[in-house]
Amino acid sequence: NDLFTYQFFFKSRGGNVIRGDKKVIMCDKVLKDNITWKNSQTKIIDELLSAFQVEEIIFIPTRLDDFIGHADGMIRFIDDDNVIINDLKNEDEDFKIDFISVLKDSKLDYSEIPYNISNAKNDWDARGIYINYLQMKDIIFVPMFDFKEEDDLAEQTLSKLF
């Protein structure tokens, strides 16, 4: 019910929620889209903390080309202190600095996983986004995209982390 209320209370197409046990990660777009004369940043954060029943909301920068605010294609929790992020080598330098700064400020340790969207057919094509693995209780399904080097590295990285 809280999530349903959240979707209508806040006007935003973005801000996908990455949930840990005590923390939530969202793109900062949800703040930018909702700050008005009625809604201060503090009020928005308080509402989100209450809705998600967590101790902390971490706001990562939204990629310049992402009009929705997809945190779920950039980062995942391993646990409340450790995350997996996409390899940032092809990202804008300012974005990289801001993104890593948020992780450090939030005291999150991170590991990188391959990220290769060079062969994507459109903005909605998830080919090359290895962070979209499926985690179940005792097994992880790793997407493979026929990019030999990245496929192997993604599998190795996840095997080591889990």
Side-chain angles (χ1 to χ4, degrees), residues 18 36 61 76 98 102 107 110 120:
I18 309 302
T36 65
R76 288 189 66 168
D98 291 346
V102 167
K107 297 178 178 54
Y110 64 91

Side-chain angles (χ1 to χ4, degrees), residues 5-19:
T5 304
Y6 158 75
Q7 291 173 350
F8 290 96
F9 180 78
F10 293 108
K11 69 165 193 170
S12 180
R13 288 190 243 166
N16 288 333
V17 177
I18 309 302
R19 188 176 178 97

Side-chain angles (χ1 to χ4, degrees), residues 2 9 14 16 20 25 72 93 103-104 149 154:
D2 288 337
F9 180 78
N16 288 333
I25 298 173
D72 64 340
E93 197 60 36
L103 299 180
K104 288 180 180 178
E149 185 178 322

Side-chain angles (χ1 to χ4, degrees), residues 106-120:
S106 301
K107 297 178 178 54
L108 290 174
D109 290 325
Y110 64 91
S111 299
E112 291 187 23
I113 194 165
Y115 177 69
N116 177 358
I117 59 167
S118 60
N119 291 326

